[in-house]
Amino acid sequence: RRRGREHTFCHTTGFAVATAVMALTPLLAGLGVAGAAYAVKGALHIGQRIKANPEIAKNMNAAAAGARAVGQRFKLSAITEQFAFVRGPHAVGFDATMNRREAAQILGIRESSNKAQIKDAHRKIMLLNHPDRGGSPYIASKINEANECLMGQRSSSGSAFS
């Protein structure tokens, strides 16, 4: 078999590239270690300056709290809440004042349900959501408000939490 010059050139070039990469590996590892050491040195220097001046620590804590607040504000869930109206009127929470439609939705019955159905639905949902059984006091107050609204016993202008 006869070898051409091109084959020899490729073989030689590939060997040269592999040798160059192998020679650069320790250099790159050394640069990485040096960079890490320099970062640690900088962190220790900053730590000493903070220890020497407590006012810097207060300012840094305030800046961190501000950064956390900004992070909370721009979370995906917070942004989707801003556009909840796109999903429909019932996706954004409770109305300011309870009406029959919302009360019926809370109890899971029709607006035209009779008092026995309202009482039964209220009892079932309160058994599941009572604060003494680990339920939310706010949700329990909304359930009671819905019951009062549908029964026609409006004793207050709204929830105890509004």
Side-chain angles (χ1 to χ4, degrees):
R1 274 186 161 178
R2 184 174 168 224
R3 289 187 174 180
R5 286 180 83 188
E6 295 169 10
H7 179 73
T8 308
F9 178 75
C10 288
H11 178 71
T12 309
T13 306
F15 178 73
V17 170
T19 305
V21 169
M22 287 177 21
L24 283 177
T25 302
L27 175 68
L28 294 175
L31 287 174
V33 169
Y38 193 70
V40 169
K41 179 184 173 189
L44 289 173
H45 179 70
I46 290 171
Q48 289 172 348
R49 291 192 62 185
I50 290 172
K51 222 185 243 187
N53 189 353
E55 190 66 31
I56 294 174
K58 286 181 188 177
N59 290 341
M60 287 183 68
N61 285 336
R68 282 191 299 272
V70 168
Q72 290 290 330
R73 179 70 176 109
F74 290 107
K75 275 189 176 176
L76 184 60
S77 60
I79 293 170
T80 56
E81 285 175 14
Q82 296 293 322
F83 296 100
F85 65 89
V86 175
R87 294 188 307 247
H90 311 299
V92 293
F94 296 110
D95 292 340
T97 57
M98 182 77 62
N99 56 38
R100 289 188 64 82
R101 179 193 48 78
E102 184 182 30
Q105 285 179 337
I106 289 171
L107 295 179
I109 56 176
R110 294 177 183 249
E111 288 182 54
S112 59
S113 298
N114 62 36
K115 292 193 186 248
Q117 291 170 326
I118 296 169
K119 184 177 179 181
D120 187 49
H122 175 260
R123 184 179 177 283
K124 285 180 183 176
I125 199 163
M126 275 304 289
L127 285 173
L128 297 172
N129 292 288
H130 199 278
D132 291 345
R133 294 187 172 194
S136 163
Y138 178 72
I139 299 296
S141 74
K142 285 297 191 179
I143 294 168
N144 287 330
E145 187 179 355
N147 181 50
E148 291 172 4
C149 178
L150 289 175
M151 292 286 225
Q153 303 170 350
R154 256 308 153 90
S155 59
S156 65
S157 63
S159 169
F161 292 92
S162 56

